[in-house]
């Protein structure tokens, strides 16, 4: 079954404590991306990756890091989380970056206190 | 910079009604436009993908159209059902491949 899997699904953490949200896809997709969703602001792209070792900033990259060392995984790293990073995070993937259906993970609810 | 707008923000209709959701975008140089459905607390599910060279796509009771010259796309839902209740989002790529811009969505409620 085609899947994009995110972990953890729910997390409460404290300000400044580094955390990583993992994302894995089993469809051999080249393109992967991270979004955050906030009430009134909608879905905003954080980072995206067109292929292994190729990453680019989206619209709201500040405070986040990513890496793409292998095709199936695209972790999102919050080096020093702050309360304004409390949000619902989604990982997504597609075969390529512009012409194909996009598949989303179930989301990760992150609260920073 | 690409901006994507969806109107209305919320819509309530009785079951069985045909309805149209609107999506507008500012940069007509798009690769494609996609429509998604999101149920509360869930991820997004792709409904329809219209390539820039296409005018419309159909899937079951859903039909999406694309008019690049006017910067508009519409999602037509025929014979709406309570199970169609969800938030519908459209998305277009920004200035570069991979940079996907979403509208804020239309929250649809279909009353039995």
């Amino acid at each position: 079954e085609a899947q994009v899997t995110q972990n953890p699904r729910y997390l409460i953490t404290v300000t400044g404590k580094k955390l990583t949200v993992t994302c894995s896809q089993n469809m051999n997709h080249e393109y992967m991306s991270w979004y955050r969703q906030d009430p009134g602001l909608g879905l905003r792209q954080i980072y995206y990756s067109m292929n292994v070792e190729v990453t680019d900033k989206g619209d709201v990259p500040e405070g986040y890091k990513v890496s793409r060392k292998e095709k199936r995984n695209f972790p999102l790293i919050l080096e020093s989380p702050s309360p304004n990073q409390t949000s619902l995070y989604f990982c997504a993937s597609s075969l390529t970056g512009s012409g194909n259906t996009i598949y989303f993970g179930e989301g990760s609810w992150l609260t920073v206190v | 910079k690409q901006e994507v707008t969806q109107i209305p923000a919320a819509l309530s209709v009785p079951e069985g009604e045909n309805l149209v959701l609107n999506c507008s975008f500012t940069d007509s140089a798009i690769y494609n436009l996609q429509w998604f459905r999101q149920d509360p607390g869930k991820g997004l599910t792709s409904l329809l993908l219209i390539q820039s060279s296409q005018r419309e796509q159909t899937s079951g009771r859903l039909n999406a159209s694309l008019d690049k010259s006017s910067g508009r796309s519409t999602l037509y839902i025929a014979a709406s059902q309570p199970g169609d209740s969800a938030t519908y989002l459209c998305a277009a790529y920004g200035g570069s491949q991979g940079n996907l811009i979403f509208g804020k969505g239309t929250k649809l409620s279909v009353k039995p």
Side-chain angles (χ1 to χ4, degrees):
Chain A
E1 182 190 352
Q3 275 190 328
V4 178
T5 303
Q6 301 178 220
N7 280 296
R9 294 288 317 282
Y10 305 91
L11 180 65
I12 301 175
T13 190
V14 296
T15 299
K17 185 177 181 182
K18 180 179 178 179
L19 69 93
T20 299
V21 186
T22 64
C23 175
S24 179
Q25 49 93 4
N26 64 358
M27 296 167 277
N28 202 35
H29 285 170
E30 292 183 348
Y31 173 85
M32 297 186 74
S33 183
W34 277 102
Y35 303 85
R36 61 178 289 175
Q37 187 172 37
D38 302 287
L41 297 176
L43 267 163
R44 294 176 294 168
Q45 192 176 50
I46 303 171
Y47 270 96
Y48 62 95
S49 170
M50 299 294 282
N51 214 325
V52 176
E53 301 291 0
V54 180
T55 62
D56 260 306
K57 295 178 181 178
D59 296 310
V60 288
E62 295 78 19
Y64 304 94
K65 283 178 58 176
V66 293
S67 67
R68 187 93 181 273
K69 292 183 171 27
E70 47 189 348
K71 206 170 192 178
R72 64 181 294 126
N73 295 323
F74 190 44
L76 179 70
I77 303 161
L78 286 73
E79 293 267 2
S80 183
S82 63
N84 65 12
Q85 292 179 296
T86 292
S87 187
L88 175 58
Y89 291 86
F90 288 104
C91 180
S93 74
S94 72
L95 189 59
T96 64
S98 62
N100 306 98
T101 299
I102 296 177
Y103 297 82
F104 277 79
E106 287 291 300
S108 295
W109 292 89
L110 172 64
T111 300
V112 184
V113 297
Chain B
K1 184 186 172 186
Q2 180 74 276
E3 292 183 10
V4 180
T5 304
Q6 292 185 249
I7 295 173
L11 182 63
S12 182
V13 301
E15 181 177 4
E17 192 161 298
N18 301 325
L19 59 100
V20 174
L21 306 181
N22 296 296
C23 172
S24 61
F25 47 94
T26 55
D27 185 352
S28 61
I30 59 173
Y31 297 100
N32 57 49
L33 188 131
Q34 301 193 45
W35 283 93
F36 297 86
R37 169 185 173 137
Q38 185 177 27
D39 293 289
K42 300 287 190 181
L44 282 72
T45 300
S46 179
L47 297 173
L48 289 165
L49 167 65
I50 313 174
Q51 300 291 355
S52 61
S53 58
Q54 297 174 318
R55 292 299 296 258
E56 65 179 89
Q57 280 284 345
T58 298
S59 176
R61 294 182 295 108
L62 305 180
N63 175 276
S65 68
L66 176 64
D67 184 345
K68 288 201 307 177
S69 62
S70 66
R72 296 177 65 180
S73 176
T74 60
L75 179 66
Y76 174 83
I77 303 177
S80 58
Q81 304 170 357
D84 294 330
S85 298
T87 297
Y88 292 80
L89 299 102
C90 65
Y93 283 96
S96 60
Q97 290 188 21
N99 179 217
L100 191 61
I101 310 295
F102 280 83
K104 292 183 181 178
T106 294
K107 185 174 182 179
L108 174 65
S109 176
V110 181
K111 307 256 184 244

